[in-house]
Amino acid sequence: MIFAVISEKYTDLRIKKAQRGDEKAFCDLVRDMEPLVFNLAYRMLGNRQDAEDMAQEAFLRVYKALPAYRGEASFKNWTMRICKNVCLDELRRRSSRITAEEEIPETIADKTDVQAKVLAGERLRSLEEAINSLDERSKLLIVLRDINGLSYSAIAETMELELGTVKSAINRARKKLRTVVEEQNLL
Amino acid sequence: MSCEDIKNLLDEYITNELTENDKELVEKHLAQCDSCKAEYELIKAQKSELKELCEPLPNDFEDKLAKKIRGHRLASVTVKFGAGLAAAVALVCAVSVSHTKLYNKSLENKLTAVTGNAAVTENESATEESEDKVAIELPDEVLEKNEPEADAGTKNNSTADNETSTPKVVSETSVEAVVSVVTDEADNGAEVTEAVDETEEAAEESFSMARMARSVASEDVTLTVSADVDEVRELLSGIDEVSLIGEDETELTAEVVNLSYTDLKSALADLDIVDEVIESDAPESESNSEYTIKIECKKER
């Protein structure tokens, strides 16, 4: 109980300070979220450099939008939502650029192929490939739930979906992922 | 519960997010249903593998972010200042043009006077024109702010010698005022808000301090934290079990009743602000204990 009260108050204080432009308070506020946002960006965009750029961009947007934050959603979920939107915007931008330039995008599998084999082994590489083959929504849900460990209600707030929809969509995404992995193993 | 219902709870069962009641239901069901048990093992294995895909954050991520935020803040202040400066320059130019026109006009009048024409009448009309110009080009608040000077200047208009100096006096004073207003705005509106907040906080603080006893005989525990007094006071203010009994610029002293010292310390330590703990007379860890705690705040207001 006391942990929750103090932690909530601490976050509120940081938000107020950050809203007044305190850079350090802002950095304190988002410190715990940095790995989550970075991982989401990494899985969405496919390589570390783009993920870092977009995660930084997402946090900058959060900072800019902070004066307008009124606490309707929890700060963490609000931040994750902004990150999700930044990544989706980037993917849309890439998609239109690729169509215009007729180029094949550099995928996570291309970039991390060697790295994944060396560092995480064949099994994890297959899993990464399987995740990449999912549609954007399924990928987002898997990352938010199983890699970032967000609760269903936090995901519902982040994705702006109903709780029931989130649960069933995550179940479907997991089944899809499992099917892809099984197909890979058969090859 | 059907198998479908149970399968929908498996994920939260694995992450320990279920209520005790639901947890029990799932456990009972898994003990007797092979299909759900198999599904449970699959989800658990998949989640465990996915967790391994967690990508480590780049080492310098936070430094880069701090720089980016600082850069944005400086840029926005510069833009505000630049906009303010541009407005001020534009105003100076407008007033200068106006003044130059008036000067030319008055010079013309003087020349006319020298040549023996109706100087007074024309000079008066020039003064009227100058007042019109200034009134149009200066913001209302500036005109209000400079009303006494403007009036004083207008009163001097009765003599032909002051006809050119009058609008000049009004203009320069007004421009100075505008630059001052604009610069204040450029200094960041947030700081103004902050100053107001701080004043309110200070008033509130002195009120609450007046209610507090100033000195405490001894403290059972001293915590040193890297936070300022205001922050710590705010953090403790929502906890019924903690009553502040003393405060100065760098320290807070509180009486704690029915709250375990271990829990209080852990809750503060959890925020990563506790630097040092000196337990001169460590209170009992039972939740019904009573003790005083001194919190030394390293960051002063």
Side-chain angles (χ1 to χ4, degrees):
Chain A
M1 175 61 186
I2 184 179
F3 283 78
V5 171
I6 288 193
S7 172
E8 200 177 309
K9 280 196 159 279
Y10 188 71
T11 304
D12 288 348
L13 275 173
R14 287 283 164 282
I15 291 172
K16 278 181 195 164
K17 282 192 162 195
Q19 282 179 324
R20 295 199 295 240
D22 186 326
E23 296 149 26
K24 189 180 175 304
F26 180 75
C27 289
D28 286 347
L29 195 58
V30 299
R31 188 165 295 122
D32 288 348
M33 279 173 251
E34 287 168 2
L36 304 182
V37 167
F38 177 72
N39 264 278
L40 182 66
Y42 178 69
R43 292 295 152 201
M44 296 297 291
L45 303 171
N47 69 74
R48 285 183 65 85
Q49 189 53 57
D50 286 351
E52 187 176 355
D53 291 346
M54 284 306 111
Q56 298 266 354
E57 174 61 25
F59 282 123
L60 184 61
R61 279 204 209 173
V62 170
Y63 182 78
K64 287 181 188 171
L66 203 54
Y69 174 69
R70 295 285 173 268
E72 289 89 357
S74 85
F75 180 74
K76 184 177 172 182
N77 298 341
W78 182 70
T79 302
M80 292 302 290
R81 193 190 302 166
I82 290 178
C83 177
K84 175 207 76 176
N85 291 337
V86 166
C87 292
L88 289 176
D89 287 349
E90 172 64 11
L91 287 171
R92 275 185 220 113
R93 198 179 60 79
R94 277 187 194 183
S95 160
S96 60
R97 193 182 61 199
I98 289 156
T99 311
E101 295 174 5
E102 299 270 318
E103 277 181 9
I104 297 164
E106 190 175 47
T107 66
I108 191 166
D110 299 329
K111 265 254 173 174
T112 60
D113 193 40
V114 178
Q115 193 187 10
K117 271 181 184 166
V118 174
L119 298 176
E122 194 67 27
R123 184 178 50 83
L124 289 182
R125 191 181 67 84
S126 299
L127 193 57
E128 281 200 320
E129 281 178 2
I131 291 175
N132 292 330
S133 72
L134 295 176
D135 57 281
E136 297 306 337
R137 183 163 127 146
S138 301
K139 203 190 290 182
L140 258 170
L141 291 166
I142 292 279
V143 174
L144 290 173
R145 178 65 187 161
D146 291 332
I147 297 180
N148 282 353
L150 263 61
S151 69
Y152 281 108
S153 56
I155 296 171
E157 215 165 66
T158 302
M159 299 285 289
E160 296 167 277
L161 294 171
E162 293 296 319
L163 189 61
T165 311
V166 168
K167 285 193 176 189
S168 52
I170 288 177
N171 282 340
R172 278 199 301 277
R174 267 202 202 109
K175 278 177 188 159
K176 272 188 209 170
L177 183 63
R178 211 183 295 159
T179 309
V180 176
V181 172
E182 281 166 4
E183 283 170 359
Q184 282 174 345
N185 292 341
L186 289 175
L187 293 173
Chain B
M1 270 192 178
S2 67
C3 283
E4 201 54 40
D5 293 333
I6 294 294
K7 280 176 183 169
N8 282 333
L9 294 176
L10 287 176
D11 185 13
E12 288 160 290
Y13 173 68
I14 293 164
T15 51
N16 205 17
E17 292 174 89
L18 289 183
T19 60
E20 281 304 311
N21 194 31
D22 283 346
K23 198 174 159 186
E24 211 173 300
L25 284 172
V26 172
E27 278 167 0
K28 274 185 188 168
H29 187 92
L30 289 181
Q32 55 192 341
C33 178
D34 289 343
S35 161
C36 286
K37 178 82 178 166
E39 180 73 9
Y40 161 73
E41 295 296 346
L42 272 173
I43 295 176
K44 196 177 167 188
Q46 193 180 40
K47 283 178 80 74
S48 164
E49 280 187 337
L50 285 166
K51 205 76 191 158
E52 285 183 58
L53 291 181
C54 190
E55 193 69 14
L57 193 69
N59 289 333
D60 55 353
F61 187 89
E62 196 168 321
D63 291 342
K64 282 186 183 169
L65 179 61
K67 273 184 196 163
K68 202 168 182 134
I69 298 293
R70 200 168 305 130
H72 164 73
R73 202 170 174 219
L74 287 173
S76 62
V77 169
T78 309
V79 167
K80 276 186 183 177
F81 182 77
L85 201 61
V89 167
L91 191 67
V92 169
C93 292
V95 172
S96 299
V97 167
S98 161
H99 178 64
T100 308
K101 281 182 185 170
L102 290 171
Y103 180 76
N104 290 342
K105 180 83 178 174
S106 66
L107 194 64
E108 202 179 298
N109 291 341
K110 275 184 179 171
L111 289 171
T112 313
V114 168
T115 53
N117 286 332
V120 175
T121 314
E122 288 205 21
N123 289 342
E124 276 171 358
S125 78
T127 308
E128 277 166 22
E129 189 182 334
S130 75
E131 284 169 0
D132 288 347
K133 284 271 182 192
V134 172
I136 291 163
E137 285 164 8
L138 295 177
D140 290 345
E141 66 268 26
V142 173
L143 285 174
E144 281 166 21
K145 196 173 175 180
N146 292 285
E147 214 166 2
E149 289 92 330
D151 286 348
T154 313
K155 279 173 192 164
N156 289 336
N157 286 349
S158 54
T159 58
D161 286 348
N162 285 327
E163 64 198 16
T164 53
S165 64
T166 301
K168 189 177 176 185
V169 168
V170 173
S171 305
E172 279 179 355
T173 318
S174 307
V175 167
E176 196 178 306
V178 170
V179 171
S180 153
V181 167
V182 168
T183 312
D184 283 348
E185 282 172 2
D187 275 345
N188 199 348
E191 284 177 19
V192 177
T193 316
E194 193 171 349
V196 172
D197 286 350
E198 277 172 8
T199 314
E200 285 171 3
E201 278 169 19
E204 203 175 294
E205 183 192 321
S206 70
F207 178 68
S208 64
M209 278 172 75
R211 288 182 304 174
M212 284 179 199
R214 275 277 177 181
S215 63
V216 176
S218 65
E219 292 80 35
D220 300 314
V221 182
T222 300
L223 285 180
T224 307
V225 298
S226 52
D228 63 35
V229 169
D230 295 331
E231 271 183 307
V232 179
R233 190 190 327 101
E234 181 77 22
L235 287 176
L236 298 176
S237 68
I239 307 166
D240 296 338
E241 294 86 350
V242 180
S243 318
L244 288 180
I245 53 170
E247 172 176 343
D248 65 21
E249 283 295 304
T250 56
E251 281 177 12
L252 286 173
T253 310
E255 255 176 11
V256 187
V257 181
N258 294 334
L259 172 65
S260 134
Y261 158 66
T262 319
D263 279 353
L264 177 60
K265 186 177 74 173
S266 305
L268 289 171
D270 204 40
L271 303 175
D272 215 19
I273 58 170
V274 174
D275 287 342
E276 194 183 0
V277 183
I278 304 161
E279 298 173 5
S280 53
D281 185 9
E284 293 169 18
S285 59
E286 284 84 33
S287 59
N288 60 354
S289 61
E290 289 183 23
Y291 52 93
T292 54
I293 184 165
K294 185 166 86 178
I295 301 174
E296 290 179 351
C297 303
K298 272 185 157 180
K299 271 168 43 183
E300 291 181 27
R301 270 192 291 261

